[in-house]
Amino acid sequence: MLLRSIFELFSTPGALKAFLQWKLFSLSAFKIIKRLKYSNIHPNTVIDIGANLGQFSIASYHEFSSSVIIPIEPDSTIARKLRKNLPSEISSRVICVAVGDYDGKINFQVNADSQNSSVLPLGEDRRRAFPKNIVLREVCVPISRLDSLLDPKKLPEPILLKIDVQGYEEKVINGAINTLKYIRWVVIEVSFASLYEGEAKFLQIMDLMAFNGFSFVKPLNFHQSGHSLDIIEMDALFKKLN
């Protein structure tokens, strides 16, 4: 796994330079952003739901330099680290809240790997493929619909929405019905395996996005199982239908 990652770093055009120069580098986020640019996608606003430590936000900052970037992260401990990783103009926009289909409170599963923390319990496939992904504790966090958090009419268009919430994507979409009317592109991490209990799989997400006026364009990146070559997730690009 490590050797493959090193090979990808050296073989991906521009990745090594970014790795050496950026404060925080994620090869996955780098590839996604580059593939968006190759597809002539240049947003003026990036909404980063499930920002974690800022991997996608930082890549967006460097590659979409004029964009307004809004990172959203539910874990207050991670959110503090996120703010430190970001330039001041983005750090000031960090929103520390879970995003879903209602406004209130919710229990949040803090994972040993913070990228895999989720509202949902771990599923059988993730426990088997990634045995080190264990839940350390459960905390209560605020949760809000995206429609309650932001006024999309006040954001520079076109808008790119990125959703990476470890199985809770369906709920995020259901709580963003009004906001989606103003979104042009959506990048969603979707699953093909039982990684979290109760999560919606790719075909369900595709149907839900179609209901909201979006079509699936293409995969932007794939994620493999920890112990095999099986593709268990992908980062999928959706575009608003004209």
Side-chain angles (χ1 to χ4, degrees):
M1 184 73 73
L2 177 59
L3 289 176
R4 186 169 68 224
S5 297
I6 293 173
F7 174 78
E8 286 189 89
L9 177 65
F10 279 87
S11 62
T12 303
L16 181 60
K17 181 179 179 181
F19 173 77
L20 295 172
Q21 293 182 349
W22 296 2
K23 185 171 183 179
L24 178 68
F25 176 81
S26 160
L27 184 58
S28 175
F30 178 84
K31 287 181 176 181
I32 292 170
I33 297 295
K34 284 293 188 183
R35 286 165 181 160
L36 290 172
K37 292 184 72 175
Y38 293 152
S39 299
N40 200 30
I41 293 175
H42 301 279
N44 286 323
T45 298
V46 176
I47 303 172
D48 183 2
I49 300 180
N52 193 242
L53 295 171
Q55 296 91 330
F56 192 87
S57 289
I58 289 174
S60 297
Y61 169 75
H62 285 282
E63 298 295 330
F64 302 133
S65 57
S66 61
S67 294
V68 173
I69 300 169
I70 305 172
I72 305 175
E73 166 59 38
D75 186 336
S76 60
T77 301
I78 297 299
R80 285 193 292 272
K81 297 178 181 178
L82 168 65
R83 291 187 177 96
K84 292 179 180 179
N85 287 336
L86 298 173
S88 58
E89 64 268 31
I90 305 176
S91 176
S92 62
R93 300 192 196 104
V94 170
I95 303 172
C96 185
V97 64
V99 181
D101 59 353
Y102 70 95
D103 303 324
K105 298 282 186 180
I106 197 166
N107 290 330
F108 186 73
Q109 317 276 323
V110 178
N111 199 285
D113 179 351
S114 65
Q115 294 186 82
N116 295 312
S117 296
S118 175
V119 166
L120 301 177
L122 294 175
E124 179 183 348
D125 290 340
R126 180 167 291 283
R127 289 195 300 268
R128 182 172 60 249
F130 301 96
K132 293 183 179 180
N133 284 184
I134 59 174
V135 175
L136 300 178
R137 60 187 179 277
E138 186 175 83
V139 296
C140 184
V141 301
I143 185 170
S144 176
R145 296 174 298 122
L146 190 60
D147 285 346
S148 300
L149 281 180
L150 301 174
D151 183 353
K153 297 189 294 295
K154 295 181 179 179
L155 300 176
E157 295 187 43
I159 303 171
L160 169 71
L161 172 63
K162 170 259 188 181
I163 308 173
D164 182 357
V165 289
Q166 303 306 306
Y168 210 59
E169 288 78 12
E170 179 185 24
K171 303 297 186 183
V172 172
I173 296 166
N174 286 334
I177 301 303
N178 180 64
T179 305
L180 286 171
K181 296 174 183 176
Y182 299 86
I183 303 294
R184 185 174 300 181
W185 309 283
V186 183
V187 176
I188 312 177
E189 186 181 68
V190 293
S191 175
F192 304 110
S194 299
L195 302 180
Y196 294 90
E197 294 181 10
E199 68 179 321
K201 302 296 193 302
F202 170 58
L203 292 179
Q204 294 169 275
I205 295 296
M206 189 166 65
D207 288 344
L208 182 58
M209 291 300 293
F211 178 79
N212 284 285
F214 289 81
S215 63
F216 172 62
V217 179
K218 62 181 179 181
L220 294 170
N221 198 36
F222 291 106
H223 306 273
Q224 293 176 235
S225 169
H227 60 70
S228 73
L229 296 177
D230 286 347
I231 294 173
I232 57 175
E233 292 175 302
M234 80 171 164
D235 298 293
L237 173 63
F238 291 84
K239 183 179 181 180
K240 175 67 67 63
L241 294 167
N242 293 327

